Amino acid sequence: MDSRRVWTMLLPLALLLTMVACGGGERQGARATAGPGGAGAAATATAGAVQTGEKPVRGGTLFIGLAADISNLDPLRSNLFVDRLVQYNMYDSLVSINEKLEIQPALAESWDTSDPKAVVFRLRRGVKFHDGTEFNAEAVRWNIQRILDDKTSPRNSELASVAGVEVVDPYTVKLNLKEPFAPLFSLLVDRAGMIVSPAAVQRAGADYTRNPVGGGTGPFRFVEWKKDERIVLERNPDYWRKDKDGNPLPYLDRVVFRPIPNEETRLANLRTGEIDVSDGAPAKDVEAIKKNPDLIYRAIPAFARDGIWLNAAIEPFNNKALRQAVAYAINREEILKTIFFDIGVVATGPVAPPHLGFDPSFKGIQYDPAKAKEKLAEGGRPNGFSFKLGITAGSPQTQLYGELLKDQLAKVGIQVELVQQEFNKLVSDTQNGNFQASLIGWSGRIDPDGDMFAHFTCTGNFNYGKYCNPEADKALQEGRSTFDVEKRKAAYQRANRIIADDVPYIFIRNTVATQVSTAKVRNYLLMPDQIMRFHEVWKRSS
Amino acid sequence: MTQYIVRRVLIMFPVAFLVTVFLFVLIRQTPGDPVLVRLGEEATPENRAALRHELGLDRPVAVQYVKWLGRVLRGDFGRSIRNNQPVLDALAERLPKTLELGLVAFAYSVGIAIPLGTLGALFRRGPIGLAASAFTFAGVSMPNFFLGTLLILFLSVKLGWLPPGQYVPFSEDPLDNLRRLIMPAITLGTAGAAVNMRLIRSSLLDVIVQDYIRTARAKGLPERLVFFRHALRNALIPVVTIVGIQVGALWEGAFVTETIFAWPGVGRLTINSISGRDYPVVQAVVLIAAFSFMLSSLLVDLAYAWLDPRISYVKRRG
């Protein structure tokens, strides 16, 4: 046996594995993002579905091209963003949101927060799971308890504010809270609030997450999932939602999700009509898609952000004036146009455009080179200074982004040394406080608390730069501990101004949520969370 | 002969063993943590510790390895960290799809290389030889992702002849399955075809001037027999070696090609499991890749004996 030859043959494989391993990093529901990403457009459209006055047609199959295969269909285990695109069409949650991100009834018809340390949900009656069993308070209790009991579930930390759950009567359930926690509702919109049939889970056991037959109450029932190939759902004839004329929903007979990881291929499939809806599109092709009468491209403001973490614990950014100098020296418009093909909006602070507490009249710190020089002088470095900026290696777009930042800052005398790092390394270095500045984005949450509390309170888990301002802490604490929407709004407006001015993070861009589909797809509800909801969609035959 | 084969097969196991040790350690050294991938950044330290314990990742690597090896020897490759699927099921779902793609690509790469290489050698100075060289040059220098994207844009979007990727099972629609196989197979096989072609061409040019060819001609053998029985057969020996190594290149190419054409094979499983740090799946995939390399290398050596009677693996007496 010529074992040398075997090794020669194995070596390329080993190298390849290493390469792939280093370039890894899946898009996740909850994680920092690697700088540029995602398509969208100058946000002009409004949220919601386009109302055309056409009469919906029943039937048909909708094909959707996903950017990746899903990982888990059991909400208890799910950890990828793409999972949710399927789950929202299979399951209902206790509550949902509208286009303005206001909490709406879903499986819970109403709720009572008069006791700040408890939420009492009154549930919808007559809803059945796809396996025929009944949805009721006991099912909700079982689901919430399942999350509270499972320390290995990503949902466990989401419900950290819940002390326990009890059935009050067959259609009333009570969540006892450790302390008042308003963002709980936004978490119950998503996977922590999705209610799964206890009988279906008990029947399937450990296989449930891959074969969740009969598990939901949602508009479509699970049929099959062939890994990397397709996920098929079929119409739930007993769905509880009706359209505005009282007709049963959904209109479609089937939805078929096909994972097509290469975005060029996904667009080719959309152009040739092999798929009807695409999960995003290459940024460079957006203009062409907009001009194509057979395709639809819409975008609305979303909450993911791009920007730079500054380490407020060490030189030079323990000096607020120097942080502000950098913020004034960055031309966000130019970045948006040259790096992001004008897709997205210029960010003004931690509160994103769709969020509760967003103030369109507040512009935060914007490009002003004269102001930047003033701040340099105020910070005791009139001739500028230099710092290291960590960026993700391997993406030409991110490299251009870094070079542009470097040029912009050089104009006011600030020297940037770009340090390219593998994404996981960049994140772990930043988490450990081993950085001066890091270009790391954030995927965003429905509730502003999810984008601010852990990031900008003195002891927050994601406060990588050790920024600390008791005033910001107070505003953010207030925002989460009252259920009163007006009070929350005021708190986030206050926190937004304080944090934008303190610059623990340089807010550069907010993303947009997009619809990319053929013109056959009608009544598609576009929401800032970018989740695909097909319960009201119908498909024109030509 | 049988003894030789048995010995070769037996020696695969220690080699595979070394591969697994190497990989087991390597993948645990790459940045990124399966626990973080599954729980996200918002998980508490308590959550992380609980999952780490459940997955057995809190034990020393040596202990993890021994436990894993013990189970593998009993035929149990464990379950995916990502979605709890038994690893063998995950492989069984994907392997036939990659094999289908790989075999067709392989057949294409060899099937096109032999005639083109021969033509290139026979008419090396004319336009045919030039065209063959041009094909070689383009095929070798074009990366998979580029060729694949080009094919999709041209054959699917522009001309509408073939569907742009996606897999349809043979059992559901055999014709559609094959239609969707054409572009991925060309993408995967072209680089290999080009290399093979160049090799056959140069090898033939070497052989054609050998004494035994002159002898064959002098015996009065018809040119056809000289060519097929004497020249081509001998020219193929170095080609077989390269073709064997190309099985490795096919594995690598499958990563890219399967991603471009949304082909649900082992390549995509591997990429997903590496980026998700799904250790049990990665380990199984690499083990299978290692065995397939070794198997193809064995087949290559056996093919030598068939092509060249001077090579024999049977010990002669006396």
Side-chain angles (χ1 to χ4, degrees), chain A residues 5 12 16-17 21 26 28 32 71-72 77 151 156 210 227-228 230 258 265 269 274 445, chain B residues 8 37-38 41-42 46-47 82-83 93-94 164 166-167 172 180 252 255 260 274 277 301:
Chain A
R5 188 162 63 221
L16 185 85
L17 282 174
E26 293 177 328
Q28 301 203 339
S71 70
N72 285 282
R77 287 183 62 102
K151 296 270 176 250
N156 188 263
R210 282 170 290 108
K227 312 288 175 310
D228 285 324
R230 65 183 174 202
R258 311 209 63 144
T265 312
N269 275 278
E274 292 258 323
R445 298 291 179 278
Chain B
R8 281 289 300 267
V37 172
R38 226 183 78 182
E41 287 177 19
E42 276 149 298
E46 190 194 358
N47 293 143
R82 186 181 155 93
N83 61 16
E93 274 176 8
R94 267 91 162 196
Q166 296 192 28
Y167 169 86
E172 265 173 38
R180 287 171 193 274
E252 281 174 45
F255 292 104
I260 293 178
I274 292 176
R277 303 296 186 270
D301 288 348

Side-chain angles (χ1 to χ4, degrees), chain A residues 336-526:
Chain A
L336 192 60
K337 287 209 164 59
T338 51
I339 306 295
F340 295 106
F341 297 87
D342 220 1
I343 292 168
V345 291
V346 162
T348 55
V351 175
H355 273 150
L356 177 73
F358 179 73
D359 176 0
S361 67
F362 176 72
K363 295 294 169 211
I365 295 185
Q366 292 299 332
Y367 178 54
D368 188 343
K371 258 314 229 305
K373 285 191 175 144
E374 264 174 46
K375 288 290 174 186
L376 282 174
E378 186 188 323
R381 303 283 186 93
N383 300 317
F385 63 99
S386 66
F387 70 93
K388 286 185 179 148
L389 173 62
I391 64 172
T392 306
S395 150
Q397 195 191 11
T398 305
Q399 177 147 14
L400 275 179
Y401 192 179
E403 297 288 344
L404 182 58
L405 286 167
K406 186 177 170 171
D407 281 357
Q408 291 182 349
L409 289 165
K411 285 187 187 143
V412 299
I414 301 171
Q415 305 306 321
V416 178
E417 187 192 330
L418 293 176
V419 183
Q420 298 206 31
Q421 283 178 298
E422 192 265 330
F423 180 61
N424 286 310
K425 175 91 166 67
L426 178 66
V427 171
S428 68
D429 274 1
T430 308
Q431 283 170 344
N432 297 328
N434 183 17
F435 75 108
Q436 286 185 314
S438 294
L439 185 66
I440 296 181
W442 174 248
S443 57
R445 298 291 179 278
I446 301 170
D447 194 285
D449 180 84
D451 294 353
M452 294 167 76
F453 192 87
H455 301 75
F456 303 121
T457 51
C458 295
T459 55
N461 283 337
F462 303 160
N463 185 355
Y464 305 140
K466 302 277 175 283
Y467 159 74
C468 186
N469 182 339
E471 286 301 309
D473 272 30
K474 207 172 137 232
L476 290 173
Q477 191 60 52
E478 209 173 296
R480 63 161 42 182
S481 50
T482 171
F483 289 100
D484 183 317
V485 173
E486 284 310 312
K487 280 188 190 153
R488 297 195 73 208
K489 193 170 162 182
Y492 288 114
Q493 283 189 351
R494 219 167 70 237
N496 189 46
R497 282 169 191 267
I498 297 168
I499 295 164
D501 187 61
D502 282 346
V503 203
Y505 184 93
I506 299 176
F507 302 93
I508 295 180
R509 180 185 81 127
N510 286 119
T511 55
V512 288
T514 61
Q515 171 189 0
V516 183
S517 70
T518 66
K520 289 181 189 170
V521 178
R522 314 310 292 171
N523 216 25
Y524 183 104
L525 187 68
L526 178 58

